[in-house]
Amino acid sequence: MNNNTSRPLRIALTKGRLEKDTVALLEKIGYDCTAVHEKGRKLILPVGDSIEVVLAKAADVITYVENGVCDLGVVGKDTIIEMQGKFFELSDLGFGKCRFALAGKKGEDFYEGIHVRTIATKYPNVARTFFEKKNMDVDIVKIEGSVELAPLLGLSHAIVDIVETGTTLKENGLEVYEYICPISARLIANMVSLKLRKEEIEKLISAIEANI
Ligand code: PRP
């Protein structure tokens, strides 16, 4: 077991998109985030006396929380749906709002014809489940980023990706064919930490929930 109650409560934050809003939320509930603002290349940072923040990639936030080396995590529902895993999803934090969508070249009829479509995505499980529900046989190609390139380069017929403002699609001559589901940032917790550090975690959750 990796849970260690003698260290500060440890929260894994998703670097990038969700980082700013998460830090703003921690500040709103009274935590001093100076160390995070002045982080440089540091990855573990104290937030007040009782909490430390770990900056990680979305999928790794889940891995660290599942394994109990972090007690809590802030991660997008997109990564949660894609990765699943053994942890508790505690709250919808209300930021990082976007949607999963099926998208492709503007003006094309994706559903026309009976050929097997190729779908490029960073989220193969989400794409597989989406097409299974439609009873559609598709080939899925895993792409690591800038997924919009795949249909433009002719690698895929469409993409399954997150759409926030829609700007990336628009500026690349693509459009949404179908929205799949809404996404937002979630607070997750390690199952053992929830028992061992119940009071600390509950206190933090009430403060967070009063401010979202
Ligand atoms: C995400 C997503 C789209 C873009 C959508 O990529 O994969 O490319 O954001 O946002 P928009 O609708 O506001 O334009 P991200 O910026 O996370 O980078 P990536 O492509 O390298 O994964």
Side-chain angles (χ1 to χ4, degrees):
M1 187 175 73
N2 294 309
N3 304 73
N4 172 356
T5 50
S6 58
R7 58 159 168 73
L9 194 69
R10 201 178 274 158
I11 311 180
L13 302 194
T14 302
K15 279 201 281 192
R17 274 176 186 259
L18 303 181
E19 191 178 326
K20 215 171 114 206
D21 285 329
T22 312
V23 171
L25 176 61
L26 287 172
E27 281 177 332
K28 206 167 158 194
I29 60 178
Y31 289 96
D32 176 5
C33 294
T34 313
V36 184
H37 291 297
E38 296 169 356
K39 65 181 189 286
R41 298 288 297 166
K42 271 199 179 164
L43 299 170
I44 304 179
L45 303 141
V47 162
D49 298 328
S50 55
I51 292 185
E52 65 188 12
V53 150
V54 170
L55 297 173
K57 288 221 173 201
D60 301 335
V61 166
I62 291 185
T63 303
Y64 292 136
V65 171
E66 263 193 313
N67 284 287
V69 294
C70 291
D71 306 295
L72 297 167
V74 174
V75 66
K77 184 73 178 175
D78 52 328
T79 310
I80 294 177
I81 300 175
E82 177 64 21
M83 281 189 66
Q84 311 284 339
K86 286 198 177 79
F87 52 82
F88 275 117
E89 192 180 312
L90 299 173
S91 323
D92 181 343
L93 297 174
F95 54 77
K97 283 190 177 174
C98 50
R99 286 185 279 184
F100 266 131
L102 171 70
K105 280 193 194 159
K106 204 169 173 199
E108 285 189 3
D109 184 357
F110 174 77
Y111 291 106
E112 196 190 18
I114 53 162
H115 58 282
V116 174
R117 281 92 175 154
T118 302
I119 306 298
T121 186
K122 276 188 280 186
Y123 304 90
N125 293 328
V126 173
R128 195 170 299 112
T129 307
F130 175 69
F131 286 106
E132 268 170 14
K133 280 190 193 144
K134 290 181 177 289
N135 276 322
M136 265 180 84
D137 189 19
V138 294
D139 289 332
I140 294 171
V141 183
K142 172 96 195 297
I143 297 289
E144 296 300 331
S146 300
V147 182
E148 292 82 0
L149 280 171
L152 296 176
L153 299 177
L155 180 70
S156 72
H157 296 95
I159 60 174
V160 165
D161 198 16
I162 54 171
V163 176
E164 189 181 357
T165 61
T167 312
T168 313
L169 291 180
K170 200 171 167 203
E171 292 195 1
N172 290 287
L174 305 172
E175 66 179 356
V176 170
Y177 295 151
E178 206 173 320
Y179 284 108
I180 300 176
C181 67
I183 292 162
S184 56
R186 305 298 161 104
L187 180 67
I188 62 169
N190 173 270
M191 290 169 156
V192 178
S193 298
L194 264 187
K195 292 193 183 116
L196 295 182
R197 311 188 71 146
K198 193 166 181 282
E199 255 178 57
E200 279 169 282
I201 293 176
E202 278 179 355
K203 203 174 130 211
L204 185 66
I205 296 171
S206 338
I208 286 175
E209 293 198 332
N211 280 280
I212 50 178

